[in-house]
Amino acid sequence: LLTTGELARQCETTVRTVRFYEEEGLIEPVARSEGGHRMFTRAQQQKLQLIMDLREAGLSLDQIKALFELKSRCTSAPQAAQQMTRALEAQIASLQRKIAVLRRLRDELASMVSAIRACHTCERPQFHDRCQTCEVMHRNDLPRAARLLWSSRE
Amino acid sequence: LLTTGELARQCETTVRTVRFYEEEGLIEPVARSEGGHRMFTRAQQQKLQLIMDLREAGLSLDQIKALFELKSRCTSAPQAAQQMTRALEAQIASLQRKIAVLRRLRDELASMVSAIRACHTCERPQFHDRCQTCEVMHRNDLPRAARLLWSSRE
DNA sequence: TTGCTCCTCACGTCACGTGAGGTGGC
DNA sequence: TTGCTCCTCACGTCACGTGAGGTGGC
């Protein structure tokens, strides 16, 4: 059995979050100790880990709760299977879009890092203004991030 | 020039968010019309789009603001280049981790969809309880999500 | 002139963070 | 016994959402 702190550490979150999710009805300790300390099982750790992953995917606590309650709210297996499949496929599509955005951004930031490699040895005075006339900032494949975070003046 | 609503639509966000980001000092309209309507340029649309992407990557508004102000807070190009590179590489590493989590989750949900394909034609009564004795739920490669969202009883 | 969009307050909400003050357990 | 962890309020914060009441512009 795990304490609140152990559970939080395993799932890379905080004790406050564990307690908050309990208040919200997402997780529940199997028991309390004499002194009122929460006790969790490994199964609950798995559940919390899935909850954390779904949060990172951008689902609200209400959406996550709905997913966990979906099956028990259905009256037949085919109905439950259909609703769950619909819900999961919507989330898969949303994850696909999110992954694409993050990959693009990662690549953009990486190419900005290499674009400004030349600036590490730049000796121009008043470099803020001079960047606009510098050939480093005029590569035709200069990423958006470099234009916005580097070449423009604030 | 773009109005608040046009800018919001282009960046797939809300007018409230545009106004809030202005309050927070992240973006600023180039001008106001006679009647007080905000006017934005395409350059500001680019900036807002980058802000939205960085938000999706998990950065706070303060972190984003710091990135936009980083260069102007430096006194030499090499110093700015070093600090920007550090900041970007930290974000790239964070994006890498996030992408990995989301890809794993996407694959997990996808394999759950195929795992419960058999359930669409399941005719067992009291299917909530029966799932635990059903061979569909005893595949040795059953994903975590399927165990937690399907085979366990609430 | 109608209808859609814009404006400024200002309070509400979601998902926690952060002490304050007190107790449990190896 | 000391120190770290746990507990319960309860107020604070971040990033907006959501009306309320009024005006602008094709």
Side-chain angles (χ1 to χ4, degrees):
Chain A
L1 291 179
L2 304 159
T3 68
T4 307
E6 280 160 0
L7 178 63
R9 235 167 294 124
Q10 296 288 328
C11 296
E12 293 181 279
T13 184
T14 66
V15 294
R16 175 60 174 129
T17 297
V18 173
R19 292 181 195 132
F20 182 67
Y21 288 180
E22 185 193 355
E23 274 182 67
E24 296 295 300
L26 277 164
I27 49 174
E28 202 180 2
V30 273
R32 294 270 189 150
S33 73
E34 279 292 281
H37 290 204
R38 293 169 180 78
M39 308 302 285
F40 296 94
T41 64
R42 289 286 166 187
Q44 278 155 346
Q45 182 189 328
Q46 299 273 316
K47 184 173 180 182
L48 180 54
Q49 241 143 22
L50 178 57
I51 293 171
M52 303 293 295
D53 287 354
L54 292 169
R55 283 287 299 144
E56 182 133 16
L59 282 79
S60 70
L61 295 185
D62 275 354
Q63 285 180 299
I64 294 171
K65 211 174 160 187
L67 265 190
F68 278 103
E69 290 171 354
L70 189 152
K71 196 187 169 200
S72 57
R73 285 188 189 287
C74 287
T75 53
S76 75
Q79 185 199 18
Q82 195 186 2
Q83 288 194 21
M84 184 60 86
T85 299
R86 267 191 224 284
L88 294 181
E89 280 175 344
Q91 289 311 321
I92 290 166
S94 159
L95 278 165
Q96 212 71 292
R97 285 191 298 274
K98 236 172 250 278
I99 291 165
V101 169
L102 299 189
R103 289 181 62 157
R104 248 198 306 277
L105 183 60
R106 179 201 55 188
D107 293 348
E108 190 182 346
L109 298 188
S111 82
M112 172 167 171
V113 166
S114 62
I116 66 171
R117 224 183 281 289
C119 311
H120 287 273
T121 55
C122 166
E123 293 181 355
R124 299 181 182 216
Q126 292 108 42
F127 71 102
H128 299 109
D129 306 358
R130 298 287 178 84
C131 290
Q132 269 152 0
T133 62
C134 179
E135 74 276 6
V136 170
M137 291 295 109
H138 287 276
R139 288 171 39 189
N140 58 355
D141 63 337
L142 194 69
R144 169 190 66 162
R147 284 202 317 279
L148 291 165
L149 294 173
W150 200 252
S151 111
S152 74
R153 37 181 132 179
E154 186 60 13
Chain B
L1 292 177
L2 303 160
T3 68
T4 308
E6 282 161 0
L7 178 63
R9 236 169 290 123
Q10 297 288 329
C11 296
E12 293 182 280
T13 183
T14 67
V15 294
R16 175 60 174 130
T17 296
V18 172
R19 293 183 194 130
F20 183 67
Y21 288 180
E22 186 193 354
E23 274 183 65
E24 296 295 300
L26 277 164
I27 49 175
E28 200 180 2
V30 273
R32 292 272 187 150
S33 75
E34 279 294 280
H37 289 205
R38 293 170 180 78
M39 309 300 285
F40 296 95
T41 63
R42 290 284 166 190
Q44 278 156 345
Q45 182 189 328
Q46 299 273 315
K47 184 173 178 182
L48 180 53
Q49 240 143 22
L50 178 57
I51 293 171
M52 303 293 295
D53 288 353
L54 292 169
R55 282 287 300 143
E56 181 132 16
L59 281 81
S60 70
L61 295 185
D62 275 354
Q63 285 180 298
I64 294 171
K65 210 174 162 187
L67 266 190
F68 278 103
E69 291 170 354
L70 189 152
K71 197 188 168 199
S72 58
R73 286 188 187 288
C74 286
T75 53
S76 76
Q79 185 200 17
Q82 194 186 2
Q83 289 193 21
M84 184 60 86
T85 299
R86 268 192 224 283
L88 294 180
E89 280 176 344
Q91 289 311 321
I92 290 167
S94 160
L95 278 165
Q96 212 69 293
R97 285 192 298 274
K98 238 172 249 278
I99 290 165
V101 169
L102 298 191
R103 290 180 61 154
R104 247 198 306 277
L105 183 60
R106 178 200 57 187
D107 293 346
E108 189 182 346
L109 298 188
S111 83
M112 175 169 169
V113 166
S114 63
I116 66 171
R117 226 183 279 289
C119 311
H120 286 272
T121 55
C122 166
E123 293 179 354
R124 298 179 182 218
Q126 293 107 42
F127 71 103
H128 298 109
D129 305 1
R130 295 289 178 84
C131 290
Q132 270 152 0
T133 62
C134 178
E135 74 277 6
V136 170
M137 291 295 110
H138 286 277
R139 289 170 40 189
N140 58 356
D141 63 339
L142 194 69
R144 170 190 66 162
R147 284 202 316 279
L148 292 165
L149 294 174
W150 200 252
S151 109
S152 74
R153 39 181 132 180
E154 185 62 7

